[in-house]
Amino acid sequence: MRINWRKTDPLSRGPVSEARLGAGRAPAAIGADGAARGKEGDPIKGTLLKDCIFSIKTFAGAMLALYLAFSLDLPRPYWALITAYIVARPLAGMMRSKAVYRLAGTLVGASAAVALTPALIDAPALLMLALALWVSACLFLSLLQPAPRNYALRLAGYTAALVGFPCFDAPGETFATALARVEEISLGVVCVALVGQLAFPRYAGRYLMARLDLWLGAGARWACDALLGREPAADRRRFVAEAAGLAELCVHAAYDTPALRAAESATRTLHARIAALAPTIHALGDRLGALGPDKGALSPILAALTKWLSAGPRGAPDDAIAIRAAIASARRPGPPPERADPLARLDDLARLWRECLLLRQAVRSGGASVSRRAAGDPPIDRDPEMAARSALALFVAILACAGASIAIGWQGGAVATMMAATGGAVFAGRDDPAGMTMRFSLWTTVGALFAGPWLVAVMPAIDGFAPLAASLGLVLLPIGCVTAKRAIGANAIAFVYGFGGLMALQETYLVDFAAWANGVLSVTVGSWTVALVMALIRTVSPERAVRRLVAAGRADLTAIADGRWVPNADDLVERMFDRIVAIGSRLAAVEGATGACLDQALADLASGLDLLRLGQQRATPFGGESRLAARA
Amino acid sequence: MSGEVDLCGVFFPAFLVSLAAALALTALIRRALAACGVYRLIGRAPLFDAALAVIVLGGVTVAQGGLPWR
């Protein structure tokens, strides 16, 4: 028996979308905006009905793929079935981007294997080295790319491993394996994407609006905390958490519908504006806190601003005019205000909030008129060191598996190597790739064990496609309801992977215990090897990840202070805010975290903006004192 | 319609070539329609796209001299 080694990436999460908070948080909306919260808020966490529809859709797509694969006499029909389950995502945009990138990656990877193998087949050591290099290089590049696109590169990497390593045992079959893989992946992807797009599609756009409102609501609440002198920690955390959910959704919404694509630049601008609220609110809280309880002449302005902000995202944008006029008249005539002046910060807040509200209306109404920010890639925070460590770990793991199996002449070695390559590539982006790989292999084994009795007891009684589909539905329909869940989705997909892989035996209909044991053993050896190497080279504790993020922010500040880097303010906010979101997502995992590092990162962002303004105001390059300011 | 196309020693079914041509053509037509704002009048864009792709594929097949009902 052989375990199918098709890679599974249930939730392709890049470095940015990796940032999520625990599921337990309650989204916040303020006052009258409470209606915005609720089911619409979290697209992935749908209701039971939505889960069932999603499961039925996935099953229909998978069965269509399986039926076509059988009727076209493809060599491994169950690959199409497993692919369907891997690609299926609840939102149309998510699925579309994943399908496209999976197709492209598979094509490139299979071509690479076909190009490499014949040239080097006479020197297995060289071929092994070349494949390992290809896989690690692809992984390295993919970790430096933004979220949905990196999936193609990762897939290009390990598809080459999936096609290339079996040819150590069967050199003549490289092309056939490559062709079979490309055919079945395409079939699975196209079928499930077709069903997903045509039958009851769920678009990210609706959720996007609700999510934007929740984020704006959280921002307004946090701003009110700052204005009223309340303790902001909880609302600040919520604001960062909302941003994490939204970043992911924004990426998918771009693939969703043409209408949304038109509104994308408005959405992006709004995103940047809301992110810019963070340093403003933080600095305002600092300034007002320094004033003490007696606000003096500021009180009426604070009250008016608080009232306006309390209306949340439904406030009237034009209320800003009166408030900003009041701020302007409260200013003493004389030299232009310093940034430290709370009035200047209040004015910033009023201006930003007005822009947010206007942009929100623009996004709601289609948003084609807004084009302040050219559409392009958001500046992502690249971390070449971690990417290089992941790639090195994968390289070592592949060489260890392949080398050992060539040395001892182990037949299952190819499967072990492929498991190592896929496990490493799929989970390398996480903080804890070793644990994820182990969990995945555990659930694959559970799926394989579950399929055993099925294969022996149920399958012999089945003739024809309809009874087969019905019997598969008994297992796959309930499983399909949970494949989209955040916490256990990966396990469910690992289960389908093991289950489907074992079902693939049904063609040859050989219930051969030795082959089965070899398959299970090689999956285990492969995943343990990659987990071990990843644990040694790659895994970082959440504490360390947070420290690295804070340090990266400081490095940016130093670069700005030295005049080595002069970013655009929007880019700086986006880049540093991404880090803050990443810190926020890890806080739950850090023991005894008080949120002080979040506070610190926000303070760093605020000082970064101040440094930038300082740089613009001074014609001369920075001297030593601004370096001191950066370190303070 | 039957027959194969030789591309660098690899034989591809001719239908695959029609399919590729049809997809490229569909993408062009979609661009043009989107530019004209036609998609604002369409309720189910994916359904429309799928139907469009099938029609274009049919057209390409007929243009190549293949008649499915022959």
Side-chain angles (χ1 to χ4, degrees):
Chain A
M1 227 182 265
R2 188 183 39 118
I3 300 295
N4 198 328
W5 54 83
R6 276 285 317 295
K7 96 84 187 195
T8 304
D9 179 3
L11 311 147
S12 98
R13 292 172 188 161
V16 176
S17 55
E18 189 186 335
R20 304 150 188 256
L21 282 209
R25 75 200 144 87
I30 54 173
D33 197 44
R37 67 169 89 174
K39 292 169 203 160
E40 295 292 300
D42 192 344
I44 296 177
K45 220 164 132 183
T47 58
L48 183 64
L49 177 69
K50 283 179 180 166
D51 286 342
C52 289
I53 291 178
F54 171 65
S55 176
I56 293 169
K57 275 168 62 179
T58 313
F59 184 70
M63 284 307 114
L64 181 62
L66 191 63
Y67 180 77
L68 288 176
F70 271 126
S71 53
L72 293 173
D73 267 340
L74 294 186
R76 294 184 178 90
Y78 285 88
W79 278 14
L81 174 99
I82 299 172
T83 299
Y85 270 85
I86 292 168
V87 175
R89 309 269 75 215
L91 294 183
M94 283 178 168
M95 186 128 100
R96 195 184 280 196
S97 63
K98 205 160 180 191
V100 168
Y101 289 121
R102 192 174 176 91
L103 275 181
T106 304
L107 213 57
V108 172
S111 312
V114 169
L116 281 176
T117 316
L120 297 171
I121 192 68
D122 294 326
L126 272 186
L127 177 57
M128 186 175 83
L129 209 62
L131 285 174
L133 266 178
W134 168 265
V135 179
S136 340
C138 285
L139 177 66
F140 178 73
L141 290 178
S142 94
L143 287 176
L144 297 180
Q145 288 290 318
R149 200 191 311 156
N150 60 15
Y151 189 55
L153 271 167
R154 244 183 307 162
L155 216 74
Y158 67 78
T159 301
L162 295 186
V163 173
F165 281 109
C167 40
F168 287 101
D169 295 333
E173 289 180 11
T174 315
F175 188 74
T177 317
L179 189 66
R181 178 151 172 111
V182 172
E183 280 172 350
E184 269 123 29
I185 298 278
S186 318
L187 196 60
V189 163
V190 168
C191 288
V192 82
L194 209 61
V195 175
Q197 301 283 319
L198 295 185
F200 309 107
R202 283 161 68 195
Y203 295 117
R206 262 170 59 212
Y207 302 103
L208 190 69
M209 272 327 298
R211 258 343 243 267
L212 279 171
D213 282 359
L214 283 176
W215 195 20
L216 278 168
R221 213 183 158 89
W222 180 24
C224 288
D225 288 346
L227 294 172
L228 300 173
R230 283 190 307 226
E231 167 58 37
D235 289 319
R236 188 175 59 203
R237 238 169 131 149
R238 193 157 293 151
F239 179 78
V240 171
E242 289 298 340
L246 194 77
E248 190 188 354
L249 207 55
C250 265
V251 168
H252 298 301
Y255 291 86
D256 215 305
T257 50
L260 262 175
R261 256 172 253 164
E264 196 194 348
S265 77
T267 317
R268 289 276 300 281
T269 315
L270 177 55
H271 200 283
R273 295 292 90 189
I274 305 180
L277 280 174
T280 312
I281 297 173
H282 182 86
L284 184 63
D286 259 12
R287 289 289 94 214
L288 291 177
L291 281 184
D294 181 27
K295 302 291 189 291
L298 288 180
S299 298
I301 297 174
L302 290 183
L305 203 52
T306 309
K307 184 160 172 281
W308 181 41
L309 284 164
S310 305
R314 276 151 228 247
D318 289 339
D319 287 3
I321 296 168
I323 294 173
R324 292 188 70 187
I327 293 173
S329 65
R331 270 182 186 157
R332 289 190 205 103
E338 292 172 36
R339 308 301 310 173
D341 180 6
L343 279 172
R345 297 291 192 188
L346 284 171
D347 191 49
D348 276 352
L349 179 62
R351 182 178 48 80
L352 268 176
W353 187 249
R354 176 163 185 267
E355 281 181 27
C356 287
L357 294 179
L358 287 174
L359 280 164
R360 175 179 174 272
Q361 290 177 353
V363 172
R364 284 224 152 200
S365 60
S369 59
V370 187
S371 56
R372 272 192 47 172
R373 216 176 137 80
D377 289 327
I380 68 158
D381 181 24
R382 302 191 163 84
D383 191 347
E385 189 201 321
M386 282 328 255
R389 277 164 65 165
S390 303
L392 178 68
L394 190 60
F395 185 70
V396 171
I398 291 176
L399 281 195
C401 280
S405 55
I406 290 179
I408 61 173
W410 176 32
Q411 283 259 313
V415 178
T417 314
M418 291 185 285
M419 191 67 203
T422 48
V426 172
F427 298 117
R430 321 292 180 84
D431 274 352
D432 177 25
M436 301 288 298
T437 316
M438 298 299 288
R439 207 164 61 123
F440 190 83
S441 87
L442 176 75
W443 279 93
T444 307
T445 315
V446 171
L449 289 177
F450 193 80
W454 203 263
L455 212 56
V456 176
V458 181
M459 282 299 163
I462 284 175
D463 55 339
F465 187 77
L468 174 69
S471 74
L472 286 176
L474 282 182
V475 181
L476 293 181
L477 279 174
I479 291 285
C481 290
V482 294
T483 47
K485 301 277 179 200
R486 275 183 186 147
I488 51 175
N491 298 351
I493 290 187
F495 181 90
V496 174
Y497 183 71
F499 183 78
L502 208 79
M503 282 294 181
L505 291 174
Q506 185 223 353
E507 263 111 291
T508 50
Y509 208 73
L510 272 173
V511 184
D512 175 357
F513 181 74
W516 178 80
N518 204 6
V520 171
L521 191 69
S522 37
V523 167
T524 314
V525 168
S527 35
W528 278 67
T529 311
V530 76
L532 187 70
V533 178
M534 283 284 180
L536 288 177
I537 299 182
R538 167 63 178 79
T539 304
V540 290
S541 64
E543 288 88 347
R544 188 137 177 264
V546 168
R547 273 207 305 277
R548 282 180 61 83
L549 286 162
V550 172
R554 293 286 166 82
D556 278 0
L557 287 195
T558 319
I560 296 173
D562 283 347
R564 277 182 281 127
W565 185 45
V566 187
N568 161 320
D570 278 350
D571 286 350
L572 178 72
V573 169
E574 205 165 337
R575 188 176 154 104
M576 295 203 52
F577 191 71
D578 273 354
R579 282 199 196 105
I580 291 169
V581 169
I583 291 173
S585 73
R586 288 177 173 91
L587 276 186
V590 178
E591 270 175 56
T594 52
C597 39
L598 205 61
D599 202 36
Q600 189 57 57
L602 279 166
D604 285 352
L605 173 50
S607 9
L609 285 175
D610 288 344
L611 279 173
L612 216 55
R613 289 196 194 97
L614 218 55
Q616 283 158 1
Q617 281 169 12
R618 284 191 186 182
T620 51
F622 284 114
E625 50 183 16
S626 57
R627 290 195 199 190
L628 282 180
R631 306 231 162 91
Chain B
M1 246 206 45
S2 57
E4 295 190 320
V5 176
D6 181 1
L7 202 72
C8 309
V10 182
F11 287 93
F12 291 102
F15 182 65
L16 196 65
V17 179
S18 329
L19 199 63
L23 281 183
L25 210 58
T26 312
L28 279 180
I29 296 175
R30 281 191 54 204
R31 284 271 163 92
L33 289 181
C36 301
V38 176
Y39 275 93
R40 255 172 288 162
L41 308 173
I42 294 170
R44 296 250 171 236
L47 199 59
F48 176 81
D49 287 343
L52 183 69
V54 172
I55 292 170
V56 173
L57 177 61
V60 169
T61 316
V62 170
Q64 281 179 341
L67 294 171
W69 55 85
R70 143 190 74 160

